[in-house]
Amino acid sequence: MAEVTVSELATSVGVPTERLLRQMQEAGLSHKSADASVSDDEKQKLLAYLKTSHGDSVAQPKKITLQRKTTTTLKTGSGSGRKTVNVEVRKKRTYVKRDPDELAAEEAEANAAAQAEFEPEEPVAAEPEAKPETEVKAETPAPEPEAAPSEPEPEVVAEQAEPEAEPKPEPEAASARSFVDDIEEKRQAAIERRKAEDAKREAELKAKEDARKRESEQKTKPAPAATAPATPAPDDGPAPIKDDGRPHKRKEQRRPADEDDEGKPHRKRAGKASKKALSGPKKGSRRDLYEMAVEGEDQELLARRRTMRANHKASNKHAFKKPTTKIVHEVDVPEAITVADLAQRMTVKAGEVIKHLMKMGVMATINHSLDQETAVLLVEEMGHKARLVSANQVEDQLEELVVIEGELKPRAPVVTVMGHVDHGKTSLLDYIREAKVASGEAGGITQHIGAYRVPTSRGEIAFLDTPGHAAFTAMRARGAQCTDVVVLVVAADDGVMPQTEEAINHSRAAEVPMVVAINKCDKESADPDRVKNELSAKGVIPEDWGGDTQFIEVSAHTGQGIDELLEAIALQAEILELTAVEDSPAKGVVIESRIEKGRGVVATLLVQQGTLKHGDLVLAGQSYGRVRAMSDERAQQVKQVGPSSPVEILGLDAAPSAGDEFVVLTDERKARDVAEHRAEKERQTRLQRQQAAKLENMFSNMESGQAKTLSVVVKADVRGSLEAIQSALLDLGNEEVQVNIVSSGVGGITENDVNLSMTADAIILGFNVRADAPSRRLAETENVEIRYYSIIYQLLDEIKSALGGMLDPERVETIVGIAEVREVFSSPKFGQVAGCMVVEGTVYRNKPIRVLRDNVVIFEGELESLRRFKDDVNEVRNGMECGIGVKNYDVKVGDQIEVFEVKEVAREL
Ligand code: GDP
Ligand code: MG
């Protein structure tokens, strides 16, 4: 290294040149000027000098104080009991430098003092000045921070090892000594005291805590010791210092060696647990328990409490717990059952059933009636056992009960008269009755009961004098067979007409032999051969033409041929060899029934088997009761009647339907059961039919392949329209779907049509015709759909869309009110005004109307005026009189004004 001048050196060292020069001179160098060069050797010399001189001036420190602060965060507990505790540990340690001789003296003294100690070898006063300060920012007492700088956590064990690890600092003997002694005394006292306390507490704790807890308690034991200066026994309990609640200052840390050897390193938790144990007995057991939990000592307890809470929340609604094992029910499935009933039988909610039905592709409501097949599928689907119950089970039992046994005796035939309207049925029956029944009786028959017996030379004949077709078809519709012979009345001047055909079909279907009465033979225009011809074309061939049907020419007016007719019937009956048991409880059929004021239910029965006696218990359809009174067709009280006898009885609890079978029972309870069962069954089947018979359902039926034909009954006002509609309807079909015209005719819709469509599951299409009141009622009760149209294309369109399954929102026409014209006035001011009585619903001023004459639509339009007394009103309700002016049309007395409304209703499947 090149030599430098003094001034350069001064600059590089950073001191003034003068000072450097002075120092160099003090170091014994000869440099005087700033320009003198300095060699390396000279530099070294200067440095050596400077070192020594500085050493003098900078005295070695006697004491070094080290401070250290650590902050730790403890997390305790979990869940809602979680809390964070910040622990700040401040440590201060002062190291004092001592002279070697001073140290020696100290050591000697220390040794002497140590002899009184537990461990004389240990440098007891190694850290007399170590003065850990603990500041705890939490309610829990701070852990014992020990003078172990390397340990972030106050660790007891590590701390104990400290004295050895301690560097060289020499204890200040005198102060340390006295201090140690002092502490030691206190400690011994504390030990004694605590031992007593511990023994007591131990017993308590042991009782409380289980083995696991006890183990943790053991961990806590060394910790309390930490608070004490020294703890000779492991079960050294709480430190008295704690109880003061002061920050703990510790002058000395001493441990028996054996505690060190206890092995297990004590963890933080143990330290804290100790605090818990300490505070426990003093602060009360609740806090004790709480802390125990918070410490995580009893995680299990906490977890249990949590689950309990969760369970409580979840089960807050009901305390009921669903049984885990499913109960399999044996479910009785009758032929028809509603969703609600089925759900009840399975003891599930109806919603469940509906859900399962949806899965099966069946949309149903709670009141929906299911057929047996669907119900069985559903029951099995839901894991229950289905038990098929024949709806006839009760009936079967009944059949077993009612045994008709005895000697068979010949009985009178039961005859029904049928035929087209106005062909003379009523006249014929009247003639026979008057001539044969009422003959010799003044005033004729006072009470007409709809059936009577006529004596002939070949025995008696029972005539059913009910409106022929209606009774017959109604009975047939109910499956009852009460007629032995049908008398088909055909007017000789009119020939075969639609209802004649119908009658033929009915009797054929019922397999009842026919006797043809060609009526009105007294007329000039009578042409019996024409009738024979036309009937032969229908398959009814006269005997004299080689057939098997008797044709009798009669006249209801002149009485011509009546006896022959009766003979023919009797002959026919003989061929049939009709027999019945006379000597047994009665059985038969209800011909008609009504409710009369003061008399109750009046039912006309036809006894077919056995003998009906006064006082018998009769079960008829859905009604039952004892026969209180019995009268024959002449209104004579009778005590008993035999087979083929019509009789009128009083005593039933409800009006049975025409065609219902009746039986005589002995067990009243059985009768009631059966009656109730039948009522229920009818309710179910009605529901079912309600669903099935609707035109709206045709589409879904077709989709599932159930219905390939749409059965209709067509009635129209004139033959022309009828034929047009018929041919158009037949053209609508294709290979898959067909319109099946069950029946068609001209004129209003009658009960007959309703009965027929009921049996054929058809809908009735009325074209410019209406149903009369009884047939409307029947249609309503039997859920037969009647649709009215006034435009052929509309009719065809709807049927077409029904067929094609494209039912768009449909136009629903609802008749909202009917007014009957009672009088017609002409007023100069208002023109023609009809004095009307509202007989059904409500008549509205602003709704479209139709005028009907004899159930045939003759006008369609709107109202000009609607008045009540002198006031214009918007509506007139049922039973009120009103004045109606029909716009652009003159009504007549007897006309009906029908108010309707047309709504567009979205179709639902
Ligand atoms: P129903 O509708 O079949 O019951 O027929 P009705 O008994 O009401 O008779 C219809 C019409 O035909 C009535 O006006 C009777 O007077 C008439 N009529 C019935 N039988 C005869 C008959 O034998 N000769 C004649 N000339 N007229 C008859
Ligand atoms: Mg008649």
Side-chain angles (χ1 to χ4, degrees):
M1 188 185 176
E3 289 191 352
V4 292
T5 61
V6 173
S7 62
E8 279 169 353
L9 184 65
T11 322
S12 68
V13 174
V15 292
T17 317
E18 292 80 39
R19 194 179 158 193
L20 186 63
L21 274 173
R22 198 176 62 239
Q23 282 175 342
M24 289 175 82
Q25 278 164 8
E26 279 170 20
L29 297 171
S30 56
H31 301 75
K32 292 251 166 41
S33 76
D35 300 328
S37 65
V38 184
S39 71
D40 278 356
D41 284 348
E42 285 161 344
K43 274 187 208 166
Q44 288 301 325
K45 206 175 169 185
L46 177 67
L47 192 62
Y49 163 74
L50 281 175
K51 264 186 191 164
T52 52
S53 74
H54 279 195
D56 283 343
S57 62
V58 183
Q60 279 226 322
K62 288 255 178 201
K63 248 171 27 168
I64 296 171
T65 302
L66 301 175
Q67 274 188 327
R68 184 192 157 114
K69 187 173 94 176
T70 54
T71 309
T72 51
T73 307
L74 302 178
K75 288 215 170 85
T76 60
S78 57
S80 59
R82 190 185 199 102
K83 72 185 198 182
T84 309
V85 179
N86 284 321
V87 180
E88 189 178 293
V89 180
R90 286 182 196 167
K91 292 171 188 167
K92 192 171 159 190
R93 183 162 293 187
T94 306
Y95 296 103
V96 180
K97 187 178 180 182
R98 299 164 127 183
D99 283 343
D101 37 343
E102 207 182 330
L103 190 67
E106 186 92 359
E107 226 155 47
E109 241 182 297
N111 283 344
Q115 285 174 356
E117 301 284 322
F118 297 113
E119 302 146 78
E121 276 79 30
E122 199 173 347
V124 175
E127 38 168 285
E129 296 273 318
K131 205 177 170 194
E133 273 178 11
T134 310
E135 202 183 300
V136 178
K137 296 176 183 175
E139 56 183 84
T140 50
E144 304 332 279
E146 284 307 328
S150 61
E151 301 282 338
E153 285 166 18
E155 187 136 335
V156 180
V157 177
E159 178 199 328
Q160 285 169 351
E162 234 172 64
E164 279 105 40
E166 203 76 354
K168 37 187 156 96
E170 289 137 283
E172 268 174 274
S175 64
R177 274 263 11 128
S178 62
F179 190 70
V180 165
D181 289 346
D182 190 34
I183 295 288
E184 200 51 33
E185 273 170 34
K186 284 182 185 171
R187 192 177 58 85
Q188 290 297 338
I191 288 167
E192 294 304 299
R193 215 172 43 236
R194 255 178 281 121
K195 271 184 182 166
E197 274 177 36
D198 284 348
K200 214 169 75 187
R201 198 168 50 87
E202 195 81 338
E204 276 177 49
L205 282 174
K206 263 184 191 150
K208 274 187 201 168
E209 295 174 21
D210 58 17
R212 191 173 43 74
K213 280 182 192 164
R214 243 178 279 131
E215 181 200 331
S216 69
E217 192 194 329
Q218 273 184 346
K219 281 187 210 163
T220 74
K221 279 168 197 163
T227 58
T231 41
D235 53 339
D236 217 348
I241 301 166
K242 283 291 154 198
D243 306 332
D244 304 337
R246 280 188 266 116
H248 331 294
K249 288 187 182 173
R250 189 117 54 125
K251 299 284 178 192
E252 189 189 289
Q253 184 64 39
R254 293 192 72 229
R255 285 284 153 151
D258 57 349
E259 198 177 335
D260 257 352
D261 301 336
E262 220 173 281
K264 264 189 242 156
H266 303 258
R267 280 173 294 142
K268 178 161 84 182
R269 182 179 291 175
K272 282 197 282 168
S274 78
K275 244 132 288 136
K276 169 215 79 192
L278 292 176
S279 55
K282 296 277 173 187
K283 290 187 183 171
S285 59
R286 216 177 66 179
R287 181 172 176 92
D288 188 78
L289 278 171
Y290 169 74
E291 290 213 6
M292 237 194 279
V294 167
E295 292 306 332
E297 279 289 322
D298 202 350
Q299 286 296 336
E300 201 192 325
L301 183 77
L302 273 179
R304 210 164 52 214
R305 209 181 285 165
R306 264 201 305 277
T307 43
M308 270 168 69
R309 222 178 292 140
N311 283 346
H312 179 70
K313 266 184 203 163
S315 63
N316 217 6
K317 279 185 192 164
H318 303 287
F320 175 73
K321 223 175 148 210
K322 191 180 173 187
T324 40
T325 45
K326 194 176 172 180
I327 300 167
V328 176
H329 293 281
E330 273 214 356
V331 182
D332 287 351
V333 182
E335 274 166 20
I337 185 169
T338 62
V339 170
D341 286 350
L342 194 61
Q344 199 193 7
R345 285 182 197 190
M346 289 190 285
T347 62
V348 295
K349 289 187 175 171
E352 277 290 304
V353 175
I354 292 169
K355 211 161 78 189
H356 273 85
L357 279 170
M358 276 184 189
K359 280 187 205 159
M360 292 162 65
V362 179
M363 298 304 241
T365 63
I366 190 163
N367 292 319
H368 222 83
S369 180
L370 303 173
D371 58 45
Q372 200 173 35
E373 241 172 75
T374 314
V376 167
L377 272 177
L378 182 85
V379 167
E380 274 159 12
E381 175 88 16
M382 292 184 77
H384 299 287
K385 272 191 199 138
R387 194 166 49 197
L388 292 182
V389 172
S390 155
N392 290 324
Q393 195 178 352
V394 178
E395 304 288 338
D396 293 346
Q397 285 172 5
L398 186 67
E399 242 165 63
E400 280 168 30
L401 263 175
V402 181
V403 184
I404 308 287
E405 271 175 349
E407 195 193 334
L408 285 172
K409 290 180 181 165
R411 65 167 173 92
V414 180
V415 177
T416 310
V417 176
M418 295 172 97
H420 196 74
V421 70
D422 279 354
H423 279 201
K425 299 183 292 293
T426 310
S427 306
L428 194 65
L429 280 168
D430 284 349
Y431 183 88
I432 296 169
R433 186 175 56 233
E434 273 162 34
K436 305 289 171 183
V437 180
S439 59
E441 237 181 65
I445 297 164
T446 46
Q447 204 167 5
H448 169 64
I449 66 165
Y452 50 81
R453 281 161 72 104
V454 177
T456 68
S457 59
R458 293 176 186 266
E460 285 194 320
I461 298 171
F463 278 93
L464 290 189
D465 192 12
T466 51
H469 286 256
F472 191 87
T473 46
M475 288 177 192
R476 265 205 61 217
R478 288 177 180 82
Q481 185 100 339
C482 60
T483 311
D484 301 311
V485 178
V486 165
V487 173
L488 178 64
V489 179
V490 188
D493 59 340
D494 203 14
V496 172
M497 297 302 281
Q499 276 168 292
T500 316
E501 280 180 49
E502 207 179 281
I504 296 167
N505 292 338
H506 276 314
S507 55
R508 279 237 180 92
E511 290 177 357
V512 176
M514 256 187 305
V515 172
V516 177
I518 303 171
N519 196 22
K520 305 190 187 180
C521 283
D522 56 309
K523 279 192 164 182
E524 279 174 22
S525 54
D527 186 357
D529 280 346
R530 178 182 152 214
V531 174
K532 284 183 184 175
N533 267 323
E534 285 176 357
L535 280 175
S536 306
K538 300 287 171 198
V540 183
I541 303 163
E543 273 181 335
D544 45 343
W545 289 15
D548 56 358
T549 309
Q550 302 182 67
F551 279 62
I552 317 290
E553 295 174 19
V554 297
S555 166
H557 277 187
T558 61
Q560 169 205 338
I562 297 294
D563 286 336
E564 284 91 334
L565 178 65
L566 295 176
E567 287 291 315
I569 294 167
L571 188 70
Q572 186 67 50
E574 262 176 31
I575 296 166
L576 291 172
E577 287 183 343
L578 300 164
T579 54
V581 179
E582 243 181 69
D583 197 15
S584 80
K587 190 182 168 186
V589 69
V590 177
I591 293 167
E592 61 180 31
S593 73
R594 61 187 186 274
I595 296 170
E596 263 181 35
K597 255 188 194 159
R599 295 180 82 201
V601 176
V602 181
T604 305
L605 309 179
L606 174 71
V607 180
Q608 293 176 306
Q609 296 279 354
T611 304
L612 182 64
K613 295 179 187 122
H614 186 273
D616 274 352
L617 177 67
V618 172
L619 168 72
Q622 298 169 26
S623 55
Y624 70 102
R626 290 202 181 271
V627 178
R628 280 196 282 119
M630 207 161 41
S631 52
D632 64 8
E633 64 266 27
R634 292 168 216 218
Q636 302 288 317
Q637 291 293 319
V638 288
K639 286 287 163 202
Q640 61 175 57
V641 288
S644 295
S645 306
V647 69
E648 194 176 81
I649 65 157
L650 303 182
L652 291 179
D653 65 340
S657 308
D660 279 347
E661 272 200 358
F662 81 86
V663 290
V664 169
L665 294 174
T666 47
D667 184 354
E668 187 157 349
R669 190 168 155 176
K670 183 74 196 165
R672 192 186 55 224
D673 283 355
V674 176
E676 278 170 6
H677 167 79
R678 284 177 180 167
E680 170 63 18
K681 189 183 162 194
E682 199 205 82
R683 193 177 69 86
Q684 296 279 6
T685 36
R686 180 179 301 174
L687 273 170
Q688 223 176 13
R689 192 179 294 148
Q690 208 164 351
Q691 289 153 213
K694 298 261 174 181
L695 177 60
E696 276 75 8
N697 279 344
M698 291 312 292
F699 178 36
S700 53
N701 286 347
M702 264 175 235
E703 263 195 341
S704 53
Q706 283 171 13
K708 294 286 184 192
T709 56
L710 174 61
S711 299
V712 292
V713 169
V714 188
K715 296 301 287 264
D717 53 349
V718 289
R719 186 151 288 277
S721 337
L722 183 66
E723 276 167 11
I725 291 167
Q726 270 180 297
S727 62
L729 280 177
L730 291 174
D731 284 348
L732 280 180
N734 59 14
E735 318 85 61
E736 277 179 48
V737 284
Q738 285 276 335
V739 176
N740 171 30
I741 300 171
V742 178
S743 159
S744 61
V746 174
I749 295 160
T750 62
E751 272 181 279
N752 206 21
D753 297 315
V754 178
N755 275 319
L756 200 67
S757 31
M758 204 172 85
T759 5
D761 239 336
I763 57 165
I764 300 172
L765 307 176
F767 184 75
N768 277 342
V769 291
R770 291 294 174 269
D772 55 20
S775 56
R776 262 208 305 272
R777 262 202 306 278
L778 184 65
E780 215 164 84
T781 51
E782 299 296 351
N783 279 300
V784 171
E785 197 179 3
I786 303 178
R787 300 189 143 228
Y788 301 131
Y789 298 95
S790 47
I791 305 162
I792 288 190
Y793 296 108
Q794 195 194 331
L795 183 153
L796 294 177
D797 280 352
E798 281 198 20
I799 299 303
K800 194 174 172 181
S801 65
L803 277 180
M806 313 175 296
L807 283 177
D808 290 322
E810 53 176 328
R811 274 180 85 237
V812 174
E813 224 181 59
T814 325
I815 294 167
V816 292
I818 295 173
E820 234 169 55
V821 179
R822 296 275 161 93
E823 263 183 280
V824 178
F825 313 96
S826 260
S827 101
K829 206 167 159 192
F830 300 108
Q832 196 216 45
V833 172
C836 301
M837 168 68 95
V838 181
V839 291
E840 256 182 49
T842 308
V843 170
Y844 293 89
R845 166 75 182 79
N846 294 319
K847 295 207 160 126
I849 60 116
R850 290 192 191 101
V851 178
L852 307 178
R853 194 163 292 163
D854 298 325
N855 284 327
V856 173
V857 177
I858 49 174
F859 177 74
E860 190 169 333
E862 55 187 293
L863 294 187
E864 181 126 78
S865 64
L866 180 64
R867 302 183 138 231
R868 236 178 102 59
F869 303 112
K870 296 233 155 117
D871 304 317
D872 271 309
V873 287
N874 277 326
E875 55 185 62
V876 179
R877 266 172 294 156
N878 190 4
M880 310 257 228
E881 288 182 339
C882 59
I884 293 179
V886 180
K887 210 178 213 169
N888 305 326
Y889 193 75
D890 287 346
V891 291
K892 277 192 197 162
V893 174
D895 284 353
Q896 286 195 324
I897 297 170
E898 179 191 81
V899 182
F900 64 96
E901 60 181 1
V902 180
K903 276 189 200 154
E904 289 242 319
V905 178
R907 214 195 95 227
E908 34 180 303
L909 279 175

